[in-house]
Amino acid sequence: MTQHAQAPRGGAAGAPGSAAAILDRAYKKATWKLIPFIFVCYLFNYLDRVNVGFAKLEMLDALKLSDTVYGLGAGIFFIGYVLSGVPSNLMLHRIGARRWITTMMLAWGTLSASLMFVTTPSAFYVLRFFTGVAEAGFFPGIVLYFTHWFPAERRGKVMALFMSAIPVSGLVGGPLSGWMLQHFAAGQGGLAGWQWLYLLQGLPTVALGVMVYFYLNDSIAQAGWLTADEKTLMQGALAEDEKKRLAVSDSGQSFASVLRNGSVWMLGTIYFCIQMGVYAINFWLPSIIKSLGFRDPATIGWLSALPYLAAGVFMVWVGRSADRRGERRWHLCVPMLMGLCGLLLAAKFSSNPLVVMLGLTLATMGALTSLPMFWPLPSAFLGSAAAAAGLALINSLGQIAGFVSPFLVGWIKDATGSTDLALYILSSVMLVGAVLVQRVPAKVVNR
């Protein structure tokens, strides 16, 4: 153990006063303090991003919009997201997570709720674009934030717990959105069901943004809920983690060196392949279920929750397995292969509701679990000086899929009357990503 991480009190390893015991206690405290709250913030972040998939069930008919218009509006969010990702994360690195996350959440919560006032395609596009701008720094900022608290060997479980907010947002958001559409179908208060959906799912984000300012700490040193011994050992563990990362990383310390590094661009490509499958599921799952013959919004909501329930359980289990075994590549590759198999199954047997639901469940489990299993890879490559911009760059490259995927599915559905061809294309893209994962050096990411 290095001088930074020496036990402040005597005791055998594992004893109550030993360094290992103090460190374990500190990480348990940090996990329980940070993860539940950040989990709820990310749940509403994702819900605000994809609730347009449920609003579509009524919004398109009410405003006389086509599937192509919907796909473009759903996807244009990510143009703003990609353009703003790197500068937003640099701003977080400069002024601190607490102030910048508060600012972002107030902005995107207000913009998301404002979608209730949309009457034209142009207004839909503009609001979706600026919502993407406002949200851009949240996810990569949280990934960066975790690197200031948890070393690499503990980050797989943390990321899985945090990103389980995605399937939970589907698990909760599906039935909730279906209920809202059904309950407010009569037009209470002069608003349609889809308008109430945007309003009631956007306002909680504003309230959470205010809470962030008073709840989060920017660093270990500022955490009054940690003892001096716990702070010392956690900071020492992060210092050791940084040394290990620099010993095996070839990314350099500057953002310029990241831009010149082919491995970083390859990681961005892998993330793009994962997100192509993820966003097809997020934006089109309710519509695919409706095409199976289900018309009641509440029924569609409950059926859409089933794949997310399975994905949430699977995601946490895989995250723990990855940390326990110290293995990263196959814990990412196998879920990606599951995702593509599920998409193929749903497309091949599109006339059989039971098989389609099975395929969609398998696809959701695989695609969504791939997300937290991906992020320990770039964290292993990037030194702390490059992490703020580097993580945002990789995230932005992946989020391009957020524009391409829903627009592609919408265009193909308008052209062919079915989503089957789109699912075949998306499964092929995920296969490319799974192959690229095996090109990532095991010595860098497996630890």
Side-chain angles (χ1 to χ4, degrees):
M1 187 176 293
T2 66
Q3 185 176 359
H4 288 291
Q6 292 290 336
R9 295 189 295 272
S18 70
I22 295 171
L23 196 56
D24 282 342
R25 185 180 70 220
Y27 282 122
K28 286 180 181 177
K29 289 170 68 172
T31 298
W32 281 105
K33 175 72 175 181
L34 301 176
I35 302 304
F37 180 70
I38 294 175
F39 171 95
V40 173
C41 293
Y42 191 44
L43 188 152
F44 278 94
N45 170 258
Y46 218 80
L47 193 61
D48 288 343
R49 185 185 306 182
V50 303
N51 61 7
V52 67
F54 265 94
K56 169 188 181 290
L57 299 177
E58 290 186 358
M59 182 180 174
L60 263 63
D61 288 338
L63 302 181
K64 302 298 186 289
L65 305 179
S66 69
D67 282 309
T68 302
V69 169
Y70 163 72
L72 180 58
I76 206 169
F77 168 99
F78 295 95
I79 301 298
Y81 191 105
V82 168
L83 292 175
S84 304
V86 172
S88 183
N89 222 36
L90 291 174
M91 182 62 72
L92 182 145
H93 187 64
R94 180 176 181 179
I95 71 173
R98 184 171 59 94
R99 286 188 289 173
W100 189 240
I101 291 175
T102 293
T103 302
M104 286 189 290
M105 294 187 72
L106 292 175
W108 97 59
T110 301
L111 288 165
S112 182
S114 297
L115 282 164
M116 64 185 286
F117 300 115
V118 164
T119 57
T120 65
S122 297
F124 184 41
Y125 299 153
V126 169
L127 277 174
R128 286 288 294 176
F129 175 84
F130 283 106
T131 305
V133 170
E135 284 192 30
F138 180 77
F139 177 78
I142 293 298
V143 175
L144 175 65
Y145 186 67
F146 285 152
T147 67
H148 296 165
W149 291 85
F150 301 96
E153 64 267 18
R154 296 178 183 265
R155 219 171 288 146
K157 178 182 176 182
V158 167
M159 284 300 298
L161 290 171
F162 162 58
M163 296 192 73
S164 63
I166 298 177
V168 172
S169 72
L171 179 63
V172 175
L176 179 63
S177 297
W179 175 82
M180 286 180 178
L181 291 177
Q182 188 177 58
H183 181 75
F184 293 104
Q188 287 91 325
L191 300 176
W194 63 270
Q195 293 175 302
W196 278 109
L197 186 151
Y198 283 132
L199 177 64
L200 296 178
Q201 294 183 7
L203 291 182
T205 299
V206 176
L208 284 167
V210 175
M211 292 173 64
V212 164
Y213 186 82
F214 297 99
Y215 188 83
L216 288 187
N217 301 112
D218 285 323
S219 66
I220 293 173
Q222 296 177 6
W225 40 272
L226 291 171
T227 67
D229 291 347
E230 290 167 346
K231 291 179 183 179
T232 298
L233 288 170
M234 289 179 72
Q235 290 167 333
L238 289 180
E240 284 298 303
D241 187 60
E242 180 71 0
K243 288 180 182 178
K244 292 177 183 177
R245 179 164 49 196
L246 293 178
V248 298
S249 172
D250 62 350
S251 67
Q253 284 290 289
S254 69
F255 182 50
S257 67
V258 171
L259 289 174
R260 294 191 299 266
N261 190 282
S263 296
V264 173
W265 289 97
M266 181 177 69
L267 289 168
T269 303
I270 293 171
Y271 197 48
F272 172 87
C273 294
I274 295 170
Q275 292 284 31
M276 283 290 284
V278 168
Y279 284 119
I281 293 167
N282 286 335
F283 287 119
W284 287 96
L285 182 61
S287 296
I288 293 174
I289 293 174
K290 184 178 180 180
S291 72
L292 297 175
F294 301 97
R295 293 291 180 264
D296 178 58
T299 301
I300 295 172
W302 283 107
L303 287 175
S304 70
L306 296 177
Y308 288 107
L309 173 62
V313 175
F314 186 63
M315 181 184 289
V316 173
W317 180 81
V318 173
R320 289 176 175 172
S321 173
D323 279 355
R324 184 172 64 252
R325 299 172 185 273
E327 199 286 325
R328 303 295 176 187
R329 292 193 309 172
W330 283 108
H331 280 81
L332 171 58
C333 192
V334 171
M336 291 182 71
L337 294 174
M338 286 176 56
L340 75 89
C341 287
L343 292 174
L344 287 174
L345 197 63
K348 180 68 175 176
F349 299 94
S350 58
S351 61
N352 187 320
L354 183 60
V355 178
V356 170
M357 285 302 302
L358 177 62
L360 291 174
T361 299
L362 188 64
T364 306
M365 290 172 64
L368 267 60
T369 298
S370 299
L371 292 173
M373 293 302 97
F374 168 80
W375 282 104
L377 273 65
S379 298
F381 274 88
L382 297 170
S384 58
L391 292 174
L393 174 62
I394 291 171
N395 184 59
S396 293
L397 291 171
Q399 296 300 342
I400 294 172
F403 173 77
V404 176
S405 183
F407 178 69
L408 175 70
V409 177
W411 178 74
I412 290 176
K413 189 174 187 296
D414 273 343
T416 67
S418 170
T419 58
D420 293 354
L421 177 59
L423 296 182
Y424 283 124
I425 294 173
L426 293 169
S427 63
S428 300
V429 172
M430 292 196 73
L431 178 61
V432 171
V435 172
L436 289 176
V437 169
Q438 293 304 309
R439 293 180 57 84
V440 177
K443 68 175 183 178
V444 176
V445 298
N446 289 347
R447 54 191 170 107

